[in-house]
Amino acid sequence: MHSPPARRPLIGLTAYREHASWGVWHTQAALLPHNYVDLLTQAGGVPVLLPLSEDDAAASIVAALDGLVLTGGPDIEPVRYGAAPDPYAERFQSDRDTWEFALLAEALRVDLPVFGICRGMQLINVHCGGTLVQHLPELAGGQRHRPAPGVFGTVRVRLDTAAMPGSLLGPTVDVPCYHHQAIDLLGDGLKATAWALDETVEAVWNPDRRFLLGVQWHPEARDDPALFAALVRAASAG
């Protein structure tokens, strides 16, 4: 008899809620750039799209997952980290914040592997008690992180090779970035492990967790499954 195939881990991907168009339809949709799905599948995971839901659904959803990806998206509401909105702050979605904070809180409670991308890294930092710089272009060199609407900037990052993600990617890497905010005060338990040339924090890691990693760049836009594969390995080891 043939052995059944090994079970591939189920990885939740948080989704946008946006007005979208396809075919003859123009309506609200739960959506996500397909690169996330492609790279996670390539890395050996089974992607599960997580649209906005009620807070009390978080525990049931996390219980069914082997890992969680907090994806990119709009600014986090500044009140979440005790700040007033900066004049350059952009739109935020309070209901998405509430939902993703609930998912993250439950994931951390059960030590589920979590990977945060761009907004997702910022959400991890804020949840852990950290704060954000609300508008990088007012700082020297900030425009490189988001050169134009809909255009990724290429940012050279130096990494701590004794920590994640430098232990996988090496001492330097050029990455696609699209963000106008960044980490200011680090959250509890988090270590900064990668930096842009202007010292913007580009990755955070908690070495005391099974897997809690955030990167400020967009690995899905780089077509590089290495970090998704690391998440899948951690999710499979559970």
Side-chain angles (χ1 to χ4, degrees):
M1 294 179 62
H2 293 292
S3 299
R7 177 181 174 276
R8 297 171 63 190
L10 298 178
I11 309 295
L13 293 156
T14 56
Y16 294 70
R17 187 184 68 186
E18 299 288 350
H19 195 90
S21 299
W22 65 98
V24 298
W25 304 105
H26 308 274
T27 188
Q28 288 287 310
L31 54 85
L32 191 69
H34 213 277
N35 286 1
Y36 286 98
V37 173
D38 292 339
L39 288 189
L40 187 55
T41 302
Q42 185 180 339
V46 176
V48 179
L49 204 65
L50 303 179
L52 273 67
S53 187
E54 299 297 325
D55 301 359
D56 58 8
S60 296
I61 289 173
V62 167
L65 297 175
D66 300 300
L68 175 66
V69 178
L70 300 167
T71 64
D75 291 357
I76 295 167
E77 191 175 10
V79 70
R80 304 277 179 175
Y81 47 95
D86 183 276
Y88 290 97
E90 298 179 356
R91 71 185 183 97
F92 53 81
Q93 294 178 343
S94 182
D95 54 352
R96 180 173 174 182
D97 291 345
T98 299
W99 169 234
E100 292 187 0
F101 276 115
L103 283 174
L104 178 57
E106 184 61 23
L108 294 180
R109 188 185 71 81
V110 300
D111 205 17
L112 191 78
V114 176
F115 180 30
I117 294 174
C118 197
R119 165 193 160 88
M121 183 184 86
Q122 295 171 5
L123 191 118
I124 290 169
N125 190 61
V126 171
H127 184 273
C128 292
T131 62
L132 303 178
V133 174
Q134 291 193 48
H135 191 60
L136 273 178
E138 298 310 298
L139 305 177
Q143 294 88 345
R144 285 191 294 271
H145 298 275
R146 191 180 65 172
V151 176
F152 286 101
T154 299
V155 174
R156 174 148 294 187
V157 173
R158 61 180 175 87
L159 304 100
D160 177 355
T161 57
M164 283 285 288
S167 56
L168 290 177
L169 303 180
T172 59
V173 64
D174 291 336
V175 297
C177 282
Y178 191 79
H179 63 102
H180 81 115
Q181 300 193 329
I183 285 179
D184 187 9
L185 177 69
L186 270 175
D188 295 341
L190 299 177
K191 293 180 59 177
T193 58
W195 305 264
L197 296 180
D198 61 8
E199 297 303 318
T200 297
V201 173
E202 291 288 337
V204 296
W205 178 55
N206 185 324
D208 299 321
R209 292 279 183 175
R210 282 175 62 198
F211 189 96
L212 180 58
L213 175 67
V215 297
Q216 188 61 77
W217 68 86
H218 283 267
E220 82 285 357
R222 188 169 177 249
D223 198 25
D224 182 357
L227 299 182
F228 292 94
L231 172 68
V232 168
R233 287 193 296 272
S236 300

